[in-house]
Short mmCIF file of all heavy atoms in Angstrom, two decimals:
data_model
loop_
_atom_site.label_atom_id
_atom_site.label_comp_id
_atom_site.label_asym_id
_atom_site.label_seq_id
_atom_site.Cartn_x
_atom_site.Cartn_y
_atom_site.Cartn_z
N ARG Y 230 193.39 -2.72 -274.25
CA ARG Y 230 193.05 -2.44 -275.59
C ARG Y 230 192.30 -1.01 -275.80
O ARG Y 230 192.50 -0.37 -276.71
CB ARG Y 230 192.35 -3.51 -276.21
CG ARG Y 230 191.77 -3.37 -277.66
CD ARG Y 230 192.88 -3.23 -278.71
NE ARG Y 230 192.35 -3.15 -280.01
CZ ARG Y 230 192.10 -2.00 -280.44
NH1 ARG Y 230 192.13 -0.83 -279.76
NH2 ARG Y 230 191.62 -1.94 -281.78
N TYR Y 231 191.47 -0.77 -274.84
CA TYR Y 231 190.50 0.39 -274.93
C TYR Y 231 190.86 1.46 -273.99
O TYR Y 231 189.96 2.26 -273.68
CB TYR Y 231 189.08 -0.10 -274.86
CG TYR Y 231 188.74 -1.01 -276.07
CD1 TYR Y 231 188.51 -2.41 -275.83
CD2 TYR Y 231 188.52 -0.57 -277.37
CE1 TYR Y 231 188.24 -3.24 -276.67
CE2 TYR Y 231 188.18 -1.44 -278.32
CZ TYR Y 231 188.05 -2.76 -278.11
OH TYR Y 231 187.72 -3.70 -279.04
N ARG Y 232 192.01 1.52 -273.55
CA ARG Y 232 192.39 2.59 -272.50
C ARG Y 232 192.30 3.91 -273.23
O ARG Y 232 192.63 3.97 -274.49
CB ARG Y 232 193.72 2.30 -272.03
CG ARG Y 232 194.92 2.43 -273.02
CD ARG Y 232 196.18 1.95 -272.43
NE ARG Y 232 197.33 2.10 -273.25
CZ ARG Y 232 197.69 1.40 -274.20
NH1 ARG Y 232 196.97 0.35 -274.57
NH2 ARG Y 232 198.82 1.55 -274.97
N ARG Y 233 192.07 4.98 -272.58
CA ARG Y 233 191.94 6.22 -273.22
C ARG Y 233 193.31 6.83 -273.44
O ARG Y 233 194.31 6.87 -272.56
CB ARG Y 233 191.21 7.19 -272.20
CG ARG Y 233 191.04 8.65 -272.87
CD ARG Y 233 190.02 9.34 -272.10
NE ARG Y 233 190.53 9.67 -270.77
CZ ARG Y 233 190.01 10.26 -269.63
NH1 ARG Y 233 188.86 10.63 -269.91
NH2 ARG Y 233 190.65 10.45 -268.53
N LYS Y 234 193.62 7.20 -274.73
CA LYS Y 234 194.96 7.71 -275.14
C LYS Y 234 195.07 9.24 -275.12
O LYS Y 234 196.17 9.77 -274.89
CB LYS Y 234 195.36 7.25 -276.63
CG LYS Y 234 195.41 5.70 -276.59
CD LYS Y 234 195.73 5.18 -277.94
CE LYS Y 234 195.84 3.69 -278.00
NZ LYS Y 234 196.09 3.12 -279.51
N HIS Y 235 193.94 9.89 -275.34
CA HIS Y 235 194.02 11.25 -275.51
C HIS Y 235 192.80 12.02 -274.67
O HIS Y 235 191.74 11.38 -274.79
CB HIS Y 235 193.92 11.83 -276.85
CG HIS Y 235 195.16 11.21 -277.77
ND1 HIS Y 235 196.43 11.62 -277.63
CD2 HIS Y 235 195.13 10.36 -278.70
CE1 HIS Y 235 197.18 11.01 -278.37
NE2 HIS Y 235 196.33 10.16 -279.12
N GLU Y 236 193.01 13.11 -274.13
CA GLU Y 236 191.96 13.71 -273.36
C GLU Y 236 190.83 14.16 -274.38
O GLU Y 236 191.20 14.79 -275.47
CB GLU Y 236 192.41 15.05 -272.70
CG GLU Y 236 193.16 14.62 -271.44
CD GLU Y 236 192.17 14.19 -270.39
OE1 GLU Y 236 191.02 14.45 -270.33
OE2 GLU Y 236 192.64 13.38 -269.42
N GLY Y 237 189.60 14.01 -274.11
CA GLY Y 237 188.52 14.55 -274.94
C GLY Y 237 188.25 13.56 -276.01
O GLY Y 237 187.19 13.74 -276.73
N GLU Y 238 188.90 12.47 -276.22
CA GLU Y 238 188.59 11.44 -277.28
C GLU Y 238 187.64 10.55 -276.76
O GLU Y 238 187.82 9.95 -275.77
CB GLU Y 238 189.98 10.81 -277.70
CG GLU Y 238 189.64 9.70 -278.77
CD GLU Y 238 191.00 8.93 -279.09
OE1 GLU Y 238 191.98 9.39 -278.74
OE2 GLU Y 238 190.81 7.85 -279.67
N THR Y 239 186.52 10.38 -277.48
CA THR Y 239 185.38 9.58 -277.21
C THR Y 239 185.55 8.21 -278.10
O THR Y 239 185.48 8.49 -279.39
CB THR Y 239 184.06 10.20 -277.37
OG1 THR Y 239 184.13 11.47 -276.48
CG2 THR Y 239 183.00 9.29 -276.93
N PRO Y 240 185.49 7.05 -277.48
CA PRO Y 240 185.44 5.97 -278.48
C PRO Y 240 184.18 5.76 -279.18
O PRO Y 240 183.06 6.36 -278.81
CB PRO Y 240 185.51 4.71 -277.32
CG PRO Y 240 185.02 5.34 -276.10
CD PRO Y 240 185.39 6.73 -276.10
N ARG Y 241 184.24 5.18 -280.23
CA ARG Y 241 183.03 4.80 -281.00
C ARG Y 241 181.95 4.14 -280.23
O ARG Y 241 182.04 3.14 -279.60
CB ARG Y 241 183.41 4.02 -282.31
CG ARG Y 241 182.22 4.00 -283.32
CD ARG Y 241 182.60 3.17 -284.58
NE ARG Y 241 182.87 1.73 -284.19
CZ ARG Y 241 183.29 0.93 -285.19
NH1 ARG Y 241 183.43 1.34 -286.44
NH2 ARG Y 241 183.45 -0.23 -284.76
N GLN Y 242 180.72 4.76 -280.28
CA GLN Y 242 179.55 4.12 -279.56
C GLN Y 242 178.69 3.33 -280.43
O GLN Y 242 178.46 3.66 -281.58
CB GLN Y 242 178.72 5.40 -279.07
CG GLN Y 242 179.47 6.38 -278.25
CD GLN Y 242 180.04 5.75 -276.99
OE1 GLN Y 242 179.29 5.23 -276.26
NE2 GLN Y 242 181.33 5.91 -276.71
N ASN Y 243 178.52 2.07 -279.99
CA ASN Y 243 177.69 1.10 -280.75
C ASN Y 243 176.49 0.80 -279.90
O ASN Y 243 176.42 0.80 -278.72
CB ASN Y 243 178.45 -0.23 -280.90
CG ASN Y 243 179.56 -0.14 -281.78
OD1 ASN Y 243 179.70 0.56 -282.63
ND2 ASN Y 243 180.69 -0.95 -281.47
N ARG Y 244 175.41 0.70 -280.59
CA ARG Y 244 174.07 0.43 -279.96
C ARG Y 244 174.00 -0.91 -279.39
O ARG Y 244 173.47 -1.33 -278.48
CB ARG Y 244 172.96 0.82 -281.04
CG ARG Y 244 171.56 0.66 -280.37
CD ARG Y 244 170.53 1.08 -281.38
NE ARG Y 244 169.11 1.06 -280.74
CZ ARG Y 244 168.10 1.22 -281.41
NH1 ARG Y 244 167.99 1.48 -282.72
NH2 ARG Y 244 166.89 1.13 -280.82
N TYR Y 245 174.63 -1.92 -280.19
CA TYR Y 245 174.50 -3.15 -279.78
C TYR Y 245 175.81 -3.97 -280.48
O TYR Y 245 176.14 -3.46 -281.53
CB TYR Y 245 173.24 -3.97 -279.99
CG TYR Y 245 172.79 -3.96 -281.37
CD1 TYR Y 245 173.22 -5.03 -282.26
CD2 TYR Y 245 171.83 -2.98 -281.87
CE1 TYR Y 245 172.77 -5.01 -283.57
CE2 TYR Y 245 171.44 -3.00 -283.12
CZ TYR Y 245 172.01 -3.92 -284.10
OH TYR Y 245 171.47 -4.08 -285.39
N ASN Y 246 176.14 -5.12 -279.98
CA ASN Y 246 177.05 -5.88 -280.72
C ASN Y 246 176.48 -7.35 -280.60
O ASN Y 246 176.50 -8.05 -279.69
CB ASN Y 246 178.38 -5.87 -279.93
CG ASN Y 246 179.51 -6.61 -280.62
OD1 ASN Y 246 179.35 -7.69 -281.17
ND2 ASN Y 246 180.71 -6.07 -280.67
N LEU Y 247 175.90 -7.69 -281.76
CA LEU Y 247 175.18 -9.01 -281.90
C LEU Y 247 176.01 -10.26 -281.56
O LEU Y 247 175.75 -11.09 -280.82
CB LEU Y 247 174.49 -9.15 -283.10
CG LEU Y 247 173.69 -10.29 -283.53
CD1 LEU Y 247 172.57 -10.45 -282.44
CD2 LEU Y 247 173.13 -10.49 -284.74
N PRO Y 248 177.25 -10.33 -282.13
CA PRO Y 248 178.04 -11.47 -281.85
C PRO Y 248 178.43 -11.53 -280.30
O PRO Y 248 178.52 -12.73 -279.61
CB PRO Y 248 179.37 -11.30 -282.63
CG PRO Y 248 178.90 -10.42 -283.74
CD PRO Y 248 177.98 -9.48 -283.26
N LEU Y 249 178.75 -10.42 -279.58
CA LEU Y 249 179.05 -10.51 -278.22
C LEU Y 249 177.76 -10.85 -277.28
O LEU Y 249 177.80 -11.55 -276.49
CB LEU Y 249 179.52 -9.07 -277.82
CG LEU Y 249 179.96 -8.86 -276.32
CD1 LEU Y 249 181.10 -9.81 -276.17
CD2 LEU Y 249 180.44 -7.47 -276.09
N GLU Y 250 176.62 -10.34 -277.76
CA GLU Y 250 175.39 -10.79 -276.98
C GLU Y 250 175.10 -12.22 -277.25
O GLU Y 250 174.72 -12.88 -276.23
CB GLU Y 250 174.23 -9.90 -277.54
CG GLU Y 250 174.39 -8.38 -277.17
CD GLU Y 250 173.10 -7.63 -277.69
OE1 GLU Y 250 172.26 -8.30 -278.21
OE2 GLU Y 250 173.16 -6.43 -277.43
N ILE Y 251 175.33 -12.76 -278.33
CA ILE Y 251 175.14 -14.29 -278.59
C ILE Y 251 176.16 -15.04 -277.74
O ILE Y 251 175.78 -15.98 -277.04
CB ILE Y 251 175.26 -14.62 -280.03
CG1 ILE Y 251 174.13 -13.97 -280.91
CG2 ILE Y 251 175.30 -16.15 -280.24
CD1 ILE Y 251 174.30 -14.19 -282.44
N LEU Y 252 177.40 -14.56 -277.63
CA LEU Y 252 178.47 -15.22 -276.86
C LEU Y 252 178.09 -15.16 -275.44
O LEU Y 252 178.14 -16.35 -274.74
CB LEU Y 252 179.77 -14.44 -277.14
CG LEU Y 252 180.99 -15.03 -276.24
CD1 LEU Y 252 181.23 -16.41 -276.72
CD2 LEU Y 252 182.21 -14.15 -276.31
N TYR Y 253 177.69 -14.06 -274.82
CA TYR Y 253 177.50 -14.09 -273.39
C TYR Y 253 176.12 -14.65 -273.11
O TYR Y 253 175.73 -14.63 -271.95
CB TYR Y 253 177.75 -12.66 -272.80
CG TYR Y 253 176.86 -11.46 -273.13
CD1 TYR Y 253 175.47 -11.53 -272.87
CD2 TYR Y 253 177.33 -10.44 -273.51
CE1 TYR Y 253 174.62 -10.49 -273.16
CE2 TYR Y 253 176.64 -9.20 -273.88
CZ TYR Y 253 175.16 -9.36 -273.64
OH TYR Y 253 174.49 -8.32 -273.98
N THR Y 254 175.31 -15.02 -274.05
CA THR Y 254 174.19 -15.81 -273.80
C THR Y 254 174.31 -17.27 -273.84
O THR Y 254 173.94 -18.11 -273.02
CB THR Y 254 173.03 -15.38 -274.78
OG1 THR Y 254 172.71 -13.94 -274.62
CG2 THR Y 254 171.75 -16.28 -274.35
N ILE Y 255 175.06 -17.68 -274.84
CA ILE Y 255 175.29 -19.24 -275.07
C ILE Y 255 176.30 -19.79 -274.16
O ILE Y 255 176.09 -20.91 -273.71
CB ILE Y 255 175.83 -19.39 -276.54
CG1 ILE Y 255 174.68 -19.09 -277.55
CG2 ILE Y 255 176.23 -20.80 -276.79
CD1 ILE Y 255 174.99 -19.29 -279.01
N VAL Y 256 177.34 -19.10 -273.86
CA VAL Y 256 178.37 -19.61 -273.03
C VAL Y 256 177.88 -19.94 -271.59
O VAL Y 256 178.03 -21.06 -271.11
CB VAL Y 256 179.57 -18.73 -272.93
CG1 VAL Y 256 180.58 -19.18 -271.94
CG2 VAL Y 256 180.31 -18.67 -274.28
N PRO Y 257 177.17 -19.05 -270.92
CA PRO Y 257 176.55 -19.39 -269.68
C PRO Y 257 175.65 -20.59 -269.62
O PRO Y 257 175.56 -21.39 -268.59
CB PRO Y 257 175.87 -18.16 -269.12
CG PRO Y 257 176.64 -17.01 -269.76
CD PRO Y 257 176.97 -17.62 -271.12
N VAL Y 258 174.75 -20.55 -270.70
CA VAL Y 258 173.79 -21.75 -270.81
C VAL Y 258 174.64 -23.05 -270.94
O VAL Y 258 174.24 -24.07 -270.28
CB VAL Y 258 172.91 -21.52 -272.05
CG1 VAL Y 258 172.08 -22.80 -272.27
CG2 VAL Y 258 171.98 -20.37 -271.75
N LEU Y 259 175.63 -23.11 -271.74
CA LEU Y 259 176.48 -24.28 -271.78
C LEU Y 259 177.24 -24.68 -270.46
O LEU Y 259 177.15 -25.88 -270.16
CB LEU Y 259 177.56 -23.97 -272.90
CG LEU Y 259 177.01 -24.03 -274.40
CD1 LEU Y 259 178.33 -23.66 -275.33
CD2 LEU Y 259 176.44 -25.37 -274.73
N ILE Y 260 177.63 -23.73 -269.86
CA ILE Y 260 178.27 -24.00 -268.52
C ILE Y 260 177.24 -24.53 -267.62
O ILE Y 260 177.59 -25.56 -266.90
CB ILE Y 260 178.92 -22.64 -267.99
CG1 ILE Y 260 180.13 -22.19 -268.81
CG2 ILE Y 260 179.41 -23.02 -266.43
CD1 ILE Y 260 180.59 -20.81 -268.42
N ILE Y 261 176.14 -24.02 -267.47
CA ILE Y 261 175.15 -24.42 -266.56
C ILE Y 261 174.64 -25.76 -266.90
O ILE Y 261 174.47 -26.65 -266.11
CB ILE Y 261 173.96 -23.48 -266.41
CG1 ILE Y 261 174.43 -22.12 -265.73
CG2 ILE Y 261 172.79 -24.00 -265.63
CD1 ILE Y 261 173.54 -20.99 -265.82
N SER Y 262 174.54 -26.04 -268.24
CA SER Y 262 174.02 -27.38 -268.73
C SER Y 262 174.98 -28.42 -268.34
O SER Y 262 174.61 -29.54 -267.83
CB SER Y 262 173.78 -27.22 -270.25
OG SER Y 262 172.77 -26.40 -270.57
N VAL Y 263 176.24 -28.28 -268.48
CA VAL Y 263 177.27 -29.17 -268.09
C VAL Y 263 177.33 -29.54 -266.69
O VAL Y 263 177.36 -30.60 -266.26
CB VAL Y 263 178.69 -28.80 -268.71
CG1 VAL Y 263 179.79 -29.79 -268.30
CG2 VAL Y 263 178.68 -28.63 -270.24
N LEU Y 264 177.27 -28.44 -265.91
CA LEU Y 264 177.28 -28.57 -264.43
C LEU Y 264 176.03 -29.39 -263.92
O LEU Y 264 175.99 -30.21 -263.13
CB LEU Y 264 177.42 -27.30 -263.72
CG LEU Y 264 178.68 -26.56 -263.90
CD1 LEU Y 264 178.75 -25.18 -263.24
CD2 LEU Y 264 179.87 -27.45 -263.21
N PHE Y 265 174.97 -29.06 -264.61
CA PHE Y 265 173.72 -29.71 -264.20
C PHE Y 265 173.76 -31.15 -264.50
O PHE Y 265 173.25 -31.96 -263.77
CB PHE Y 265 172.58 -29.07 -265.07
CG PHE Y 265 171.17 -29.71 -264.77
CD1 PHE Y 265 170.52 -29.42 -263.60
CD2 PHE Y 265 170.57 -30.52 -265.75
CE1 PHE Y 265 169.16 -30.07 -263.36
CE2 PHE Y 265 169.38 -31.23 -265.47
CZ PHE Y 265 168.75 -30.91 -264.29
#
């Protein structure tokens, strides 16, 4: 999806992505809780 298509083109830079950060925090906690 995010492969470079043109030389010199820089993808949009985000300081953070709140939904993604929530996702990769909650999912590991759920996995560990179930295994525990």
Side-chain angles (χ1 to χ4, degrees):
R230 175 66 178 80
Y231 297 104
R232 67 191 186 280
R233 186 171 60 185
K234 297 180 180 179
H235 303 287
E236 283 294 332
E238 180 181 344
T239 303
R241 187 177 67 177
Q242 303 297 304
N243 292 328
R244 186 175 180 181
Y245 59 85
N246 186 316
L247 185 58
L249 184 61
E250 291 182 6
I251 293 174
L252 178 68
Y253 66 58
T254 300
I255 291 178
V256 170
V258 170
L259 289 175
I260 293 169
I261 292 171
S262 298
V263 172
L264 290 176
F265 178 77

